[in-house]
C-alpha cells in the first residue's frame, strides 16, 4: 500500500512560470514532510521541509504548502528555471524516527 | 563540509564476486543509511546505523552486509549477488536517527551497481 503518492509522473512548464508539484499521503500520523530533487545519476538533494504545525514554508523560489485536512502537500517553484528540470520526490516521516516514506516522484521539465 | 561521498561511482560484478561500497561524511552526523533505488522507483531503505550501531535492518538478504567502522564511514559488503540486485545504492546521513525532532537526510551521489 503506497502511503505517499505523487499522481503526476511528469510535468512540463515554461521557463519563468510557476511549477506546482503535488503529493498526497494516507497516514494522518505523519508530521514531517520533505521535498527532494534528483538529477540523473546523482543522489537526491534536500530542498525544503515542513512540519505539521505549519501550513507553509518558504525558501527562496521554493514554497511548500501543507493541507492536513486533505492530507496533501504541494511544492511551488516560482519562477521556474531550466536547471529545475529533475525528478522531485516528496517524503513523509514521523518526527523523531529514522524512516522516510518516499513518493514515486514527478519528473519536471522546464522548457526554455 | 556538507557532502556525503560514495565510492565507487559505478561497479560491475559477477554473481560470485565479493565487493564493497563505501560512504563517508564529515558533517558530524551520527546516523547513516543505505538505500536501494531501482529505475523509476523511490529510494527504499535498507539499513540504518545510529551511533555506529545497527539500528534497523529492513529485512535485507544476508548477501548484503553493512559495516560502520566509525562515525564517519559506512560500508556495504556485497557477496553472491543476483542480477536483480542491480540498482543505484545510495548512502545518506542525518544528525541523529531518532533523537532529534526533525532529521533531514543528506544523500550521496550513489553507486550504480550492475550484477552480471
Amino acid at each position: 500500500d503506497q502511503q505517499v503518492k505523487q499522481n503526476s509522473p511528469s510535468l512540463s512548464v515554461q521557463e519563468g512560470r510557476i511549477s506546482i508539484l503535488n503529493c498526497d499521503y494516507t497516514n494522518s500520523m505523519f508530521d514531517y514532510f520533505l521535498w527532494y530533487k534528483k538529477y540523473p545519476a546523482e543522489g537526491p538533494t534536500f530542498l525544503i521541509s515542513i512540519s505539521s504545525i505549519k501550513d507553509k514554508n518558504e525558501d527562496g523560489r521554493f514554497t511548500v504548502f501543507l493541507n492536513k485536512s486533505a492530507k496533501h502537500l504541494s511544492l511551488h517553484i516560482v519562477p521556474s528555471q531550466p536547471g529545475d528540470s529533475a525528478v522531485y520526490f516528496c517524503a513523509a516521516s514521523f518526527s523523531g524516527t529514522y524512516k522516510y516514506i518516499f513518493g514515486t516522484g514527478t519528473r519536471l521539465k522546464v522548457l526554455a | 563540509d556538507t557532502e556525503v561521498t560514495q565510492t565507487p561511482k559505478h561497479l560491475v560484478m559477477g554473481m560470485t564476486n565479493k565487493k564493497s561500497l563505501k560512504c563517508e561524511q564529515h558533517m558530524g552526523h551520527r546516523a547513516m543509511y543505505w538505500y536501494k533505488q531501482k529505475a523509476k522507483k523511490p529510494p527504499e531503505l535498507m539499513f540504518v546505523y545510529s551511533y555506529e550501531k545497527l539500528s534497523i535492518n529492513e529485512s535485507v538478504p544476508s548477501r548484503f552486509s553493512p559495516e560502520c567502522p566509525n562515525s564517519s564511514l559506512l560500508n556495504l559488503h556485497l557477496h553472491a549477488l543476483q542480477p536483480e540486485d542491480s540498482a543505484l545504492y545510495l548512502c545518506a546521513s542525518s544528525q541523529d536517527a531518532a533523537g532529534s525532532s526533525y532529521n533531514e537526510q543528506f544523500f550521496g551521489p550513489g553507486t550504480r551497481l550492475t550484477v552480471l
Side-chain angles (χ1 to χ4, degrees), chain A residues 32 36 38 43 96 98-100, chain B residues 37 58 98 101 103-105 108:
Chain A
Y32 185 50
Y36 282 83
K38 187 178 184 305
Y98 63 90
K99 191 165 179 176
Y100 291 175
Chain B
Q37 187 177 23
E58 290 283 297
S101 296
N103 262 304
E104 288 87 13
Q105 293 180 20

Side-chain angles (χ1 to χ4, degrees), chain B residues 22 33 38-40 56 58 75 77 86 96-97 100 104:
Chain B
K22 296 187 185 302
Y33 309 74
K38 300 279 267 184
K40 299 188 196 258
I56 299 293
E58 290 283 297
N75 298 324
H77 303 297
S86 298
D96 185 15
S100 309
E104 288 87 13

Side-chain angles (χ1 to χ4, degrees), chain A residues 5-70:
Chain A
K5 295 180 186 177
Q6 293 175 255
N7 291 317
S8 299
S10 63
L11 174 68
S12 290
V13 170
Q14 208 64 37
E15 181 180 7
R17 307 295 286 265
I18 183 170
S19 295
I20 300 177
L21 297 105
N22 294 304
C23 180
D24 296 296
Y25 59 96
T26 57
N27 191 335
S28 58
M29 300 301 291
F30 287 134
D31 60 359
Y32 185 50
F33 304 89
L34 309 95
W35 283 95
Y36 282 83
K37 175 169 81 172
K38 187 178 184 305
Y39 293 117
E42 292 186 14
T45 302
F46 169 71
L47 274 177
I48 192 167
S49 62
I50 189 167
S51 73
S52 59
I53 60 173
K54 293 185 171 184
D55 53 20
K56 177 181 172 182
N57 189 25
E58 266 183 274
D59 184 0
R61 296 186 298 116
F62 302 93
T63 303
V64 57
F65 294 92
L66 177 63
N67 182 333
K68 289 185 289 293
S69 60

Side-chain angles (χ1 to χ4, degrees), chain B:
Chain B
D1 186 356
T2 57
E3 223 180 39
V4 177
T5 58
Q6 289 187 244
T7 54
K9 279 188 177 317
H10 302 275
L11 178 63
V12 179
M13 60 187 290
M15 289 190 283
T16 57
N17 291 157
K18 283 186 183 181
K19 296 284 184 185
S20 297
L21 310 184
K22 296 187 185 302
C23 174
E24 192 166 1
Q25 57 88 14
H26 294 288
M27 294 180 275
H29 288 173
R30 301 316 302 265
M32 296 186 77
Y33 309 74
W34 280 115
Y35 285 83
K36 173 181 176 179
Q37 187 177 23
K38 300 279 267 184
K40 299 188 196 258
K41 298 283 188 186
E44 293 176 20
L45 184 66
M46 299 174 72
F47 302 104
V48 181
Y49 272 81
S50 177
Y51 290 85
E52 300 156 53
K53 290 190 177 357
L54 182 63
S55 177
I56 299 293
N57 176 342
E58 290 283 297
S59 303
V60 179
S62 59
R63 56 186 185 269
F64 295 92
S65 174
E67 180 200 16
C68 189
N70 61 54
S71 60
S72 301
L73 290 173
L74 186 66
N75 298 324
L76 186 63
H77 303 297
L78 314 172
H79 175 54
L81 294 194
Q82 304 295 312
E84 59 265 27
D85 296 321
S86 298
L88 182 68
Y89 287 84
L90 294 162
C91 174
S93 70
S94 68
Q95 196 126 7
D96 185 15
S100 309
S101 296
Y102 304 119
N103 262 304
E104 288 87 13
Q105 293 180 20
F106 295 86
F107 285 82
T111 293
R112 174 72 59 190
L113 174 68
T114 303
V115 182
L116 302 175

